[in-house]
Amino acid sequence: MPLTPGGAPMSIVAGLREFARATPSATAVIDGDRRLSFAELDQRASRLATHLLDSGLRTGDRVAVLLGNRLEYPEVAAGIAKAGLVMVPLNPRLTPAEAGFILEHSTASALVADDALGSVVGDHAGRLATLSLDGTQLGVSYEEALAAASNVDPLVPVAETDPFCIAYTSGTTGRPKGVLISHRSRALTFYMSALEWGLGNGRVSAAVAPMYHGAGFAFGFAPVHTGGTVTMLRTWDPEAFLALVERDRVQSAFLVPTHAHLLRALGEDAIASHDLSSLDTLYFNASALPWSLKQWVMETFPGVGVHELYGSTEAGIVTNLRPVDQRRKPGSVGHPWYMTEVRVVDDAGAPVGPGQPGELFSRSPYLMNGYLDDPEATAACTTEDGFVTCGDIVVFDDEGYLHVVDRKKDLIISGGVNIYPREIEEVLATHEAVAEVAVVGEPDETYGERVVAHVVLRAGHELDEATLAALEAHCRTSLAGFKVPREMHARTALPRNAASKVLKRELRSI
């Protein structure tokens, strides 16, 4: 490996190595009654790395990981990185066909999996060098393999621009693509997260979002990388989250809007029954946090600093709206984040001015290395000077604050007029009967497309004629007539991917 100009290369395991020396007895990970110190986590990661290398894997080989949030996730990620290998996270909710596609496309050579999730990988586990947790139906016992391996760090050299991970996109518009994420991208994200949200020594953060997803891993591993403590919430449950905050004195947590919806549904009494005085920071990402819901969060947790982020798997964190601006800039996702440049352009690629919608491009050290074995897709979202887009339409105001209007692919064109679903969703979300809403365009013989809303109603409401009339009247107070939904459908829940983003393709023509 060539030397990195200016010093040692960044690595996602550098922080673990440093704090295993500096604070070896400090708690790195909590999972219920189980705990790992930094020294224990470091040694277990080294044992895994040694086992993988002794199994014949070589630098750059891919190791799939099929685990929920649990004590072992950080050590598995660190062990793979220590061996100079590349992690391929798998979503436990995938079908065997979906998991099979990722395993084959990534050319994974090994698998670390929860034995209870064997149905996800089907017959594929048999062709991979598999380590199995909590059982041995899938492969060799994970704990026995670690016990038999050396705890000496193999220190395999890896360039900071090499991938530590291939994160497969959620496939909201088709086959998932493998996003190559470098050590530098994530290491810098960890350090900047610590700077922004205070994740360092003596701080306890909760891993709530699934760590098999890019943001969930970034914010679940960042506390370990920067010397803090992460406590695992194995499965999302609003009551369990509140109990976790109270028990482990959690100070920071990354949530998605769905979590806030479900916390609100618990009611004031349930929330007030827990001691949440340790909590001082909440940061949200994945999809838009409706203004009415954000107001509820700020009122319910008055001593907590609320941040709203915008980003993508391909670009990492792009913007952040900080607590000081939450009430001053409703609907905004903030300024560009640390070391990030943004560009907003029209369909011809020309820059747009304040208040004008355009496609957002960003350039930063967090950007992906490209899509695995897909140069055409990489070129389609990357400019010659290194800016990347995921197709979102934004406007920026005269102070440079960005507002996400919608995804380019979700744009509705009705009668030749552009309609942005998010604007309609924001209005409907403020009605007392609506818990969640998604708006899509459906084919229309006269106008090309018509506006259709899918709503999840609060308890005690149903989508009868009176409610339909009330929702339409509510829309007309804030929206032009052509933006008012022509149809509304009631749903018990909105279909979502692992990142909690609504799968609008599943709502169209249902």
Side-chain angles (χ1 to χ4, degrees), residues 62 86 163 165-167 178-182 367-373:
R62 286 80 185 256
V86 181
C165 170
I166 305 173
V179 181
L180 296 162
I181 301 176
S182 70
L367 298 186
M368 68 173 179
N369 289 2
Y371 295 116
L372 178 65
D373 297 332

Side-chain angles (χ1 to χ4, degrees), residues 33-250:
D33 295 330
R34 300 193 299 162
R35 291 174 177 249
L36 280 181
S37 69
F38 275 94
E40 291 167 333
L41 174 56
D42 185 55
Q43 288 191 4
R44 286 173 63 84
S46 293
R47 289 181 182 277
L48 175 59
T50 302
H51 171 83
L52 294 171
L53 292 172
D54 288 348
S55 300
L57 275 67
R58 294 295 176 260
T59 304
D61 286 348
R62 286 80 185 256
V63 180
V65 176
L66 179 61
L67 299 172
N69 286 10
R70 56 182 295 161
L71 185 87
E72 291 82 4
Y73 213 111
E75 75 189 30
V76 169
I80 291 170
K82 283 189 174 194
L85 307 173
V86 181
M87 181 171 71
V88 182
L90 296 175
N91 179 348
R93 294 188 295 175
L94 294 175
T95 66
E98 291 169 326
F101 169 81
I102 292 173
L103 290 170
E104 292 174 8
H105 186 265
S106 66
T107 65
S109 303
L111 171 68
V112 180
D114 185 328
D115 206 64
L117 299 174
S119 61
V120 176
V121 290
D123 297 332
H124 291 279
R127 69 171 182 81
L128 301 171
T130 301
L131 290 177
S132 185
L133 283 76
D134 299 339
T136 55
Q137 294 185 67
L138 285 178
V140 176
S141 166
Y142 176 84
E143 289 297 335
E144 290 181 9
L146 263 61
S150 168
N151 66 1
V152 177
D153 193 329
L155 296 172
V156 176
V158 176
E160 65 182 37
T161 52
D162 284 346
F164 95 89
C165 170
I166 305 173
Y168 277 78
T169 59
S170 305
T172 56
T173 57
R175 280 287 200 184
K177 297 186 286 290
V179 181
L180 296 162
I181 301 176
S182 70
H183 282 268
R184 181 180 70 176
S185 166
R186 277 300 174 261
L188 284 173
T189 299
F190 300 154
Y191 289 128
M192 294 303 102
S193 295
L195 179 63
E196 187 74 72
W197 301 299
L199 307 182
N201 291 122
R203 295 275 295 179
V204 180
S205 300
V208 179
M211 290 190 70
Y212 54 76
H213 181 260
F217 179 81
F219 301 129
F221 198 87
V224 173
H225 189 81
T226 56
T229 302
V230 64
T231 180
M232 297 289 174
L233 185 66
R234 288 210 169 197
T235 304
W236 169 253
D237 175 87
E239 282 275 16
F241 170 69
L242 297 175
L244 185 78
V245 171
E246 182 174 24
R247 186 196 72 192
D248 294 333
R249 308 304 295 158
V250 170

Side-chain angles (χ1 to χ4, degrees), residues 479-495:
L479 298 171
F482 65 89
K483 298 178 183 178
V484 175
R486 296 295 182 264
E487 298 176 21
M488 293 193 195
H489 302 288
R491 295 179 63 89
T492 57
L494 298 177

